[in-house]
């Protein structure tokens, strides 16, 4: 079992729709969770991070965390063609005094079509 | 812009050679992590430097080594390059000592091709 799993996609949604990206993780000790966006040939760009159960909203993006189910998701409202990219989910075990190792999923490719 | 800069952006090396990649961390950050991203994969953790010391390492052989300088910039060195080392190398800057509740920002990456 991979530590962080994502559906590779592509997830295809029409412009203006809600895109829902999902991620599961295996380590119950994981403390913080990150979503990065990566355009082809570019480096990952941080969208949001979350560490408490529930929802966290930032503009068109909402991250949802359910630690009991070991599940984190990202919703993108009013999807735009410019949102077409690979979305990487990452988790951090968050050992106090330890190191900030991010474990990434392989990413979900999102395609928003006009 | 994240304020994290990497150099060079692209590099071509021959198998068996050695390479040094460089990273300048974001102002106020004391931790630099290095990741390797193969095509179609998520980034894989190589190691991390916190206050000039390596304090975490992923599943990479000893020919991957690094340094962090007093200004928190960092180098990644890879010896005896192999074809499978061809990848995008990413540097991430963060504030350490927070138990993981911190954001990590990536530089633009170095695309290494080994031929």
């Amino acid at each position: 079992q991979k530590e962080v799993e994502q559906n590779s996609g592509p997830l295809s949604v029409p412009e203006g729709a809600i895109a829902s990206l999902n991620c599961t993780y295996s380590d119950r000790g994981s403390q913080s969770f990150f979503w990065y966006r990566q355009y082809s040939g570019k480096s990952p760009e941080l969208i949001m991070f979350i560490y408490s159960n529930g929802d966290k909203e930032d503009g068109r993006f909402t991250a949802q965390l359910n630690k009991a189910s070991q599940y984190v998701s990202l919703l993108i409202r009013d999807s735009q063609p410019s949102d077409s990219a690979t979305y990487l989910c990452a988790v951090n075990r968050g050992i106090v005094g330890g190191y900030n190792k991010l474990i990434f999923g392989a990413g979900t490719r999102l395609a928003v079509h006009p | 812009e994240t304020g994290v800069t990497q150099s060079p952006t692209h590099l071509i090396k021959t198998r068996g050679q050695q390479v040094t990649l460089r990273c300048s961390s974001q102002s106020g950050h004391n931790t630099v992590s290095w990741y390797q991203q193969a095509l179609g994969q998520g980034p894989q953790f190589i190691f991390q430097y916190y206050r000039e010391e390596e304090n975490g390492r992923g599943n990479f052989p000893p020919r991957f080594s690094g340094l962090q300088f007093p200004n928190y910039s960092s180098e990644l060195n890879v010896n005896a390059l192999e074809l499978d080392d061809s990848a995008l190398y990413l540097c991430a800057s963060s504030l350490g000592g927070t138990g993981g509740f911190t954001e990590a920002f990536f530089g633009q990456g170095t695309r290494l091709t080994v031929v």
Side-chain angles (χ1 to χ4, degrees):
Chain A
Q1 182 188 11
K2 293 182 180 178
E3 292 185 81
V4 179
E5 297 212 50
Q6 297 181 256
N7 189 319
S8 62
L11 174 65
S12 182
V13 301
E15 184 175 356
I18 296 175
S20 178
L21 303 161
N22 305 315
C23 172
T24 59
Y25 59 96
S26 60
D27 187 350
R28 286 196 173 272
S30 299
Q31 293 290 335
S32 51
F33 308 86
F34 302 80
W35 283 99
Y36 286 85
R37 176 174 62 194
Q38 186 172 29
Y39 293 110
S40 181
K42 302 296 185 182
S43 65
E45 171 193 6
L46 181 65
I47 300 173
M48 301 185 65
F49 79 102
I50 186 170
Y51 51 84
S52 297
N53 276 327
D55 295 358
K56 179 181 179 182
E57 186 175 319
D58 184 359
R60 295 188 296 115
F61 300 97
T62 299
Q64 299 175 316
L65 174 61
N66 184 325
K67 289 187 178 179
S69 300
Q70 295 175 242
Y71 175 93
V72 59
S73 65
L74 179 70
L75 301 178
I76 307 174
R77 289 181 298 281
D78 189 23
S79 295
Q80 300 298 309
S82 58
D83 294 325
S84 298
T86 296
Y87 289 79
L88 297 165
C89 171
V91 305
N92 187 332
R93 184 155 187 191
I95 301 171
V96 175
Y99 54 93
N100 297 327
K101 173 183 177 181
L102 292 177
I103 302 170
F104 283 86
T108 297
R109 192 155 55 91
L110 173 66
V112 181
H113 53 86
Chain B
E1 293 295 323
T2 63
V4 184
T5 59
Q6 292 186 241
S7 62
T9 54
H10 295 83
L11 202 53
I12 300 175
K13 288 287 190 178
T14 303
R15 188 172 49 181
Q17 285 188 314
Q18 177 265 342
V19 68
T20 297
L21 310 181
R22 295 178 175 82
C23 172
S24 294
S25 60
Q26 182 171 305
S27 178
H29 284 177
N30 55 16
T31 301
V32 170
S33 306
W34 287 92
Y35 292 81
Q36 179 195 66
Q37 187 177 24
L39 206 58
Q41 301 296 318
Q44 299 292 314
F45 178 77
I46 302 175
F47 45 55
Q48 177 175 283
Y49 280 83
Y50 172 58
R51 293 182 176 177
E52 301 180 59
E53 292 192 3
E54 183 184 304
N55 75 334
R57 190 175 184 94
N59 189 25
F60 281 81
R63 61 189 184 83
F64 286 78
S65 64
L67 284 173
Q68 187 178 34
F69 301 99
N71 66 355
Y72 303 127
S73 65
S74 177
E75 288 183 353
L76 164 66
N77 300 291
V78 187
N79 294 321
L81 284 166
E82 301 177 359
L83 297 179
D84 285 349
D85 295 333
S86 296
L88 180 66
Y89 287 84
L90 297 162
C91 160
S93 169
S94 62
L95 185 62
T98 61
F101 297 94
T102 184
E103 301 151 291
F105 298 97
F106 285 92
Q108 78 274 35
T110 295
R111 173 72 63 185
L112 173 65
T113 303
V114 182
V115 297

